[in-house]
Amino acid sequence: MGSEFNRTMTRRAMLGMLGVGGVTLAANMMAPASAQAPSNDDKLNVLDFGAAGNGQTDDALAIQKTLDACAKAGGGTVYFPNGTYLLHSRVTVGHNTKLVGKAKLVKPYNNQIDILNLAGNHIEVDGLWMENLNENAGININISRNSQHIVIRNCKFTGIRTQGIAMNATGIAHVLIQDCLFDSVTYGVLCNYKADDLEDLRIIGNQFLDIYGDAIELNSPITGTKKAIYESAGNIIIANNFISVPKGKGTGDTAGFGIGMAGVTRVSVIGNILKNCRYEAIHVEDNCRNISITANIIDGVQDDPDNQLNSGIYVLNAEQIAVIGNEIRNCKNYGVHFEYSKENQGNKATIVGNNITNCGSGGIRYAGNKMSDAVISDNIITDNAGSGINLAGSSHSIQVKNNIVRANKSHGILLEESKMVSISGNTVYENGGECIHVEKPTFSVPVGQSQTILNFGSSGNNSQWKIVGSLGIFAEGYIHLVAKHANLHCSKLFQLTWDETNLKIKLLKETGSGGIHISVPRMKSKQLEVNAYSDTPAKADLVLDVQYEGIIMLN
């Protein structure tokens, strides 16, 4: 199964070649506004240098004259009064320059690509609306080689074939993109493969609405280059953004991610809301290292393209990945999906404290073909169409512990084949299949402490037996049963041994209020069954809590 996922590895090279032209799009254009009288005499005013701001006159030369005068003075503020400024060619912003205003900058369709070219240090752009009307490929703000200490805030970016902000050169560092609106563009923020030494990028508090390609794309690939791991873009924060990349906007399998990462290192993705992403919400591949995906809300991953990869968080060929405390729901495939292909897989993963519900293929899928060193713990995984936790491939060194896995349509925890894993402390109940199931056993898999909860209805009866789970080929330990029905309760502790043929079970302790009964557990094939019933029917259901402490060898 792993080989079919290899197709995703080619998208990064395709992204570098295709640019924004690789996504099929359609949208409406915006009407221009009119210019207002200049003010702010302490600033360099573009109208004073000949700009018209009427949406009809080409203002590029006048704006460049203003910027050149600012540069000659050693820096300063360039002011755009309200209006629509038409630019047939790009303008270049130099060192120590701040652009301010509530104006709209529009570039019509021609052979020029970008509107603003930031080529210097200590540059700030605040409050401008940029719309690029190129029909092939456009850029609203391009950050050039060796530009550092860049601040872009409170800006709006539009244009359906446009990269809102592009970085595709070396030497870029210390960039803040904050409180901006990216509306119906192809790529919101694109850090492409030539910016492989990007340092300190912060993307905070922005809105990415109806994006056609990827809202945020960090494309610093290792595969096919001479770079070593960690020789790539890094030290990046993506925080508190709202992201929507809905189906019906862009098409194709080279884009459609809320946040895409290839090759990057030391990235924190925290506190974002990703809603209705057509391909994947968060995508990680190509030797990424030290990625923390924490406290995000993912609500809706769709099926364009429909290729079994439509998951909330998808990881392929990456290490030291922390997926912690995320709320994930309504994904076409899995909530969290670690996959492998040939020699590539996710390693050293921490998947902890996530809440995953209503996903079409299951809650968590972790697949690999070698040592993984992964921990899957303290997650709440409920109401998914497949298994709650699916361990696939021949990966080993995985701990699955202290998860709550309930009401999933298939098994609670599925091992597609035997593997060296530690499974303990999980609460698994009300799933459509077994609590823990090994699909293709070749050697025994140990299971430690576990819990399940069974519902016997209004009173139960002494002939109503329910399956707890398999005891495999050997089990030895203790089983603690607590039955509760309205105000009645009963507890029993048994010691048991199972050798694949005989069950030896001994009652050690019993407590209770009377009127409720727990039968001695029994075996049916390799499945342990329990029974509880009450003397008196009641409105409340009779619930039996089953906790096992010991060892089970599944096979």
Side-chain angles (χ1 to χ4, degrees), residues 535-550:
D535 293 334
T536 306
K539 292 182 179 180
D541 287 342
L542 192 161
V543 177
L544 181 65
D545 177 87
V546 183
Q547 296 198 37
Y548 176 81
E549 184 79 42

Side-chain angles (χ1 to χ4, degrees), residues 133-305:
L133 301 181
N134 266 11
E135 295 179 8
N136 182 24
I139 297 173
N140 285 334
I141 293 181
N142 179 65
I143 302 177
S144 292
R145 185 171 179 265
N146 294 328
S147 295
Q148 299 188 5
H149 303 287
I150 306 296
V151 176
I152 302 169
R153 57 161 59 100
N154 302 316
C155 291
K156 180 178 179 179
F157 301 90
T158 55
I160 60 172
R161 292 283 187 177
T162 297
Q163 301 170 21
I165 299 172
M167 290 161 277
N168 195 24
T170 58
I172 299 172
H174 314 304
V175 178
L176 171 63
I177 301 167
Q178 186 172 27
D179 296 331
C180 294
L181 169 62
F182 299 82
D183 189 357
S184 301
V185 297
T186 299
Y187 291 95
V189 177
L190 175 58
C191 167
N192 220 338
Y193 64 100
K194 291 182 181 178
D196 55 9
D197 61 350
L198 175 72
E199 177 84 10
D200 180 23
L201 169 64
R202 287 160 289 159
I203 304 171
I204 301 173
N206 304 282
Q207 291 177 289
F208 298 84
L209 306 181
D210 293 339
I211 304 301
Y212 294 85
D214 299 341
I216 299 170
E217 175 64 40
L218 307 176
N219 184 33
S220 188
I222 302 297
T223 302
T225 72
K226 295 181 180 180
K227 295 185 299 184
I229 295 172
Y230 287 104
E231 292 180 353
S232 59
N235 299 319
I236 298 168
I237 298 173
I238 302 172
N240 301 335
N241 301 283
F242 179 87
I243 296 173
S244 173
V245 188
K247 183 177 178 181
K249 297 293 182 178
T251 61
D253 61 359
T254 62
F257 302 153
I259 300 170
M261 290 175 270
V264 292
T265 63
R266 300 175 295 274
V267 180
S268 175
V269 180
I270 182 169
N272 302 282
I273 297 176
L274 300 98
K275 184 174 176 62
N276 293 334
C277 296
R278 67 174 174 87
Y279 195 167
E280 294 163 7
I282 300 175
H283 179 98
V284 183
E285 65 163 306
D286 196 357
N287 297 288
C288 283
R289 293 293 188 273
N290 301 109
I291 309 297
S292 175
I293 303 171
T294 306
N296 302 282
I297 297 174
I298 297 173
D299 186 0
V301 173
Q302 298 159 320
D303 57 356
D304 183 11

Side-chain angles (χ1 to χ4, degrees), residues 279-340:
Y279 195 167
E280 294 163 7
I282 300 175
H283 179 98
V284 183
E285 65 163 306
D286 196 357
N287 297 288
C288 283
R289 293 293 188 273
N290 301 109
I291 309 297
S292 175
I293 303 171
T294 306
N296 302 282
I297 297 174
I298 297 173
D299 186 0
V301 173
Q302 298 159 320
D303 57 356
D304 183 11
D306 187 0
N307 58 5
Q308 302 180 51
L309 307 177
N310 307 119
S311 298
I313 298 171
Y314 178 86
V315 179
L316 174 70
N317 188 15
E319 288 192 6
Q320 295 165 307
I321 310 297
V323 179
I324 300 174
N326 301 282
E327 297 285 329
I328 306 173
R329 63 194 303 269
N330 297 329
C331 299
K332 173 66 185 302
N333 293 126
Y334 296 93
V336 176
H337 186 169
F338 279 66
E339 198 46 72
Y340 73 102

Side-chain angles (χ1 to χ4, degrees), residues 497-537:
T497 302
W498 165 252
D499 62 3
E500 200 175 8
T501 303
N502 299 308
L503 175 67
K504 296 180 180 179
I505 192 161
K506 177 182 178 183
L507 178 64
L508 299 179
K509 186 68 175 178
E510 177 178 7
T511 64
S513 56
I516 189 169
H517 309 278
I518 297 174
S519 302
V520 176
R522 70 184 189 185
M523 294 297 295
K524 185 176 182 180
S525 185
K526 292 183 180 181
Q527 303 290 332
L528 180 69
E529 293 187 328
V530 293
N531 167 256
Y533 58 95
S534 175
D535 293 334
T536 306

